[in-house]
Amino acid sequence: MTDKLEIKDVADVVVRFSGDSGDGMQLAGNIFSTVSATVGNGISTFPDYPADIRAPQGSLTGVSGFQVHIGEGSVYTPGDECDVLVAMNAAALKTQYRYAKPQATIIIDTDSFGPKDLEKAQFKTEDYLGEMGIDPDRVIACPITQMVKDALADSGMDNKAMLKCRNMFALGLVCWLFSRDLNLVANFLREKFAKKPAIAEANIKVIQAGYDYGHNTHSSATNVYRIETKNKVPGRYMDITGNKATAYGFIAAAEQAGLKLYLGSYPITPATDVLHELSKHKSLGVTTVQCEDEIAGCASAVGASFGGALAVTSTSGPGLCLKSEAVNLAVIMELPLVVLDVQRGGPATGLPTKSEQTDLLQALFGRNGESPLPVIAAISPTDCFYAAFEASKMALEHMTPVILLTDAYIANGSGAFKLPDLKAMPAIVPPYVPEELKGTWTPYMRNESGSRYWAVPGREGFEHILGGLEKDDKTGAISTNPENHDLMTRKRQQKIDNIEVPDLEVIGDADDAELLIVGFGSTYGHLRAAMDELRAKGKKVAQAHFKYINPLPKNTAEVLKRYPKVVVAEQNMGQMAAWLRMKVDGFAPAQFNQVKGQPFIVNELVKAFESLI
């Protein structure tokens, strides 16, 4: 224990909470990140769930983690390694220590390091710290379980209920380490457990006990960290996950379009939270239907679209396979539909709680026939809001299905979200059939951008039938005419090509970079951090990141051919690189590919990119 506690100002710190899947690590991490966002810190989080439905308690495969990176300014990734590791049991220490920096502070519950715990975690001796080469001076070894029981001895709670509060003791210790205001934590808990005030107060009491333990003992740690907030922007903020932001984006789009929102879905990890969130908002005109399977979820959304709603269906990779026939129906009927694909590890059931970017080619081509549709990829948890809004706007204004790609990393991760002014959001104006066309209108009559006019059922004089068989361009009747099919195929393609998307932006050394780093979707933060590190070393590096994948930005070829060396980095075996080679003549980039179910490691990116320069 130190004689004098040092308050250390730092620019950013990474904390990783880990324990058994029933230890509440996700909740502790969420509270800490919410409190950090509330005081204006930049945050980026990464929940790391076990793939087992319920692994045996104390087993290596049952460890659940939650990593949060907080900083005084913008934070782009959850961090490669943590400065503080909370390990609630022996298995957590065994599996999670690999994510800790050599000088990291480690918090453990010594009550969960008994002989049976060590045996389950496959330690060979009782000297678990020595076995792992951990310096005991860096460890806050606290009998958390017993101290929680002592703190709640007069609460009337049974033993099982008291043990559920262990995570809050660890959170209290972490709040002490980072000088966090416990009033903010208490407010969060009282709101979360508003219907169970006794539970809220018990958790608050345990958090205070953890905080006091750190304060009174200095917990053998050398520093308390203080992270100030730089460049505060006025406004209301919240810590928001990507799935919740996606749901809010759909609600905002429906509001701007003046439409009801319909979600037809079937539960699948990691997309189910969008269904859960939207089901809470019936008062905002949202209808959610949990269907019997993936096909029904998409088909019901096609029906809702025909009926005049903003229609959405949500899924992950295996479900996107199943929805492909119904998506194709929306393509040939030219109806607006947003298909949300929260990508996960595959193939088949694969790694259901892990993250990849392996559905891109499925999104672009995974349907029969010539079946073009726009594809958008969100780049961060907070960007999920804007990506969902833009996908909805594109679908409604161009009468087409749109596939929105997120993935488990940004869907479950969170960021500090500045609540937008809905009045400042772009208008959404679907191409409703003009009244003056009454009497002459046919179902595939188009506006100047090539989009089919939308005739919502109930308008007299605009009754019509749509279906999966090819229709005549002029009359809308079923047609097997070869020339007509060729014409309709080209018109469907031209409609997508006509969609205007923002130009591809280049950041960093845009004018004279030796290397251009290219990616798409959720890898933005890691690639941005790698670029910043390389530039800090004096390297000339730039970054171009794709959010709009089909159609590509009009300046794509010009940007990609501007630089002497280009590397495309993605969490698959090269799908984006293949798409760009297909669309840009003569483009031959270097590639960086990983398919680990985990986010990129910035240090690995830096080494790989440095070798290319």
Side-chain angles (χ1 to χ4, degrees), residues 467-609:
L469 291 172
E470 185 67 279
K471 303 298 191 297
D472 184 85
D473 174 52
K474 302 298 185 190
T475 66
I478 295 172
S479 172
T480 57
N481 180 280
E483 286 71 25
N484 177 75
H485 179 55
D486 185 84
L487 175 66
M488 292 294 276
T489 299
R490 294 178 187 277
K491 285 192 173 184
R492 287 190 287 264
Q493 180 64 59
Q494 191 60 51
K495 178 179 68 172
I496 306 304
D497 294 341
N498 287 345
I499 296 174
E500 295 284 342
V501 301
D503 277 349
L504 184 62
E505 181 185 4
V506 181
I507 60 175
D509 298 303
D511 296 328
D512 57 352
E514 302 170 82
L515 177 69
L516 177 68
I517 301 170
V518 173
F520 79 95
S522 66
T523 58
Y524 170 80
H526 292 83
L527 299 181
R528 170 69 183 268
M531 180 195 72
D532 289 344
E533 285 197 27
L534 287 168
R535 295 183 71 210
K537 292 182 176 184
K539 307 294 184 183
K540 293 287 187 179
V541 184
Q543 180 187 7
H545 205 79
F546 286 92
K547 178 175 179 177
Y548 300 92
I549 298 173
N550 190 39
L552 289 167
K554 286 186 167 53
N555 67 334
T556 295
E558 183 272 323
V559 168
L560 296 182
K561 291 185 174 183
R562 188 192 309 166
Y563 300 95
K565 294 181 180 178
V566 180
V567 59
V568 180
E570 45 190 322
Q571 291 180 303
N572 55 45
M573 295 298 286
Q575 297 182 25
M576 185 67 183
W579 173 242
L580 292 174
R581 285 197 302 270
M582 179 178 173
K583 303 298 285 188
V584 180
D585 290 340
F587 181 56
Q591 292 181 216
F592 181 91
N593 304 109
Q594 284 186 352
V595 198
K596 297 181 177 181
Q598 295 285 334
F600 284 143
I601 302 297
V602 174
N603 288 339
E604 293 178 2
L605 293 171
V606 170
K607 290 177 183 177
F609 297 161

Side-chain angles (χ1 to χ4, degrees), residues 290-311:
Q290 181 176 316
C291 298
E292 65 268 28
D293 55 42
E294 296 281 4
I295 301 170
C298 190
S300 70
V302 172
S305 177
F306 182 78
L310 168 54

Side-chain angles (χ1 to χ4, degrees), residues 64 137 260 349 382 425 534 568 578:
S64 179
D137 289 341
K260 300 288 187 181
T349 309
T382 54
M425 298 290 288
L534 287 168
V568 180

Side-chain angles (χ1 to χ4, degrees), residues 182-504:
L182 292 192
N183 288 324
L184 296 174
V185 182
N187 291 339
F188 179 97
L189 287 168
R190 288 188 177 115
E191 182 177 343
K192 180 175 179 62
F193 296 107
K195 295 181 179 179
K196 299 179 179 179
I199 298 295
E201 296 309 316
N203 278 291
I204 291 168
K205 187 174 183 179
V206 172
I207 287 174
Q208 185 67 58
Y211 189 97
D212 291 343
Y213 180 88
H215 177 74
N216 294 335
T217 67
H218 289 182
S219 299
S220 75
T222 55
N223 302 304
V224 167
Y225 302 96
R226 179 170 57 207
I227 302 174
E228 301 292 349
T229 301
K230 228 165 61 170
N231 304 322
K232 287 187 178 180
V233 178
R236 296 180 64 195
Y237 287 82
M238 66 181 295
D239 173 31
I240 195 170
T241 65
N243 272 339
K244 181 176 281 191
T246 301
Y248 287 0
F250 290 139
I251 293 172
E255 179 73 19
Q256 289 298 84
L259 298 175
K260 300 288 187 181
L261 173 61
Y262 174 89
L263 175 73
S265 187
Y266 180 76
I268 182 171
T269 301
T272 308
D273 283 343
V274 176
L275 171 62
H276 290 168
E277 183 61 37
L278 286 176
S279 68
K280 300 174 184 177
H281 299 290
K282 295 181 178 65
S283 63
L284 297 176
V286 180
T287 299
T288 55
V289 177
Q290 181 176 316
C291 298
E292 65 268 28
D293 55 42
E294 296 281 4
I295 301 170
C298 190
S300 70
V302 172
S305 177
F306 182 78
L310 168 54
V312 179
T313 187
S314 57
T315 190
S316 190
L320 187 60
C321 300
L322 292 165
K323 291 182 190 293
S324 62
E325 184 178 6
V327 173
N328 238 3
L329 179 62
V331 170
I332 199 167
M333 292 168 71
E334 300 192 46
L335 284 171
L337 171 70
V338 180
V339 182
L340 170 65
D341 175 24
V342 186
Q343 299 171 93
R344 71 187 204 186
T349 309
L351 304 172
T353 63
K354 308 302 180 182
S355 185
E356 288 177 7
Q357 294 182 300
T358 44
D359 294 346
L360 177 60
L361 293 185
Q362 182 181 197
L364 289 166
F365 303 115
R367 295 166 297 284
N368 68 291
E370 294 289 340
S371 186
L373 52 72
V375 177
I376 297 174
I379 66 175
S380 71
T382 54
D383 183 59
C384 286
F385 173 86
Y386 298 100
F389 184 93
E390 181 59 28
S392 303
K393 178 178 171 67
M394 195 176 286
L396 290 168
E397 294 187 341
H398 295 277
M399 297 295 287
T400 177
V402 176
I403 292 181
L404 171 59
L405 298 175
T406 67
D407 57 46
Y409 164 57
I410 57 173
N412 293 324
S414 65
F417 181 54
K418 183 176 182 292
L419 301 184
D421 179 4
L422 191 58
K423 295 178 181 177
M425 298 290 288
I428 297 179
V429 185
Y432 295 115
V433 57
E435 190 66 27
E436 57 266 25
L437 291 180
K438 186 175 182 179
T440 62
W441 174 80
T442 57
Y444 285 93
M445 192 174 288
R446 302 174 187 275
N447 64 11
E448 63 280 357
S449 70
S451 300
R452 187 181 73 81
Y453 284 118
W454 197 10
V456 177
R459 291 183 64 186
E460 186 180 352
F462 295 97
E463 298 85 356
H464 65 289
I465 296 173
L466 298 176
L469 291 172
E470 185 67 279
K471 303 298 191 297
D472 184 85
D473 174 52
K474 302 298 185 190
T475 66
I478 295 172
S479 172
T480 57
N481 180 280
E483 286 71 25
N484 177 75
H485 179 55
D486 185 84
L487 175 66
M488 292 294 276
T489 299
R490 294 178 187 277
K491 285 192 173 184
R492 287 190 287 264
Q493 180 64 59
Q494 191 60 51
K495 178 179 68 172
I496 306 304
D497 294 341
N498 287 345
I499 296 174
E500 295 284 342
V501 301
D503 277 349
L504 184 62

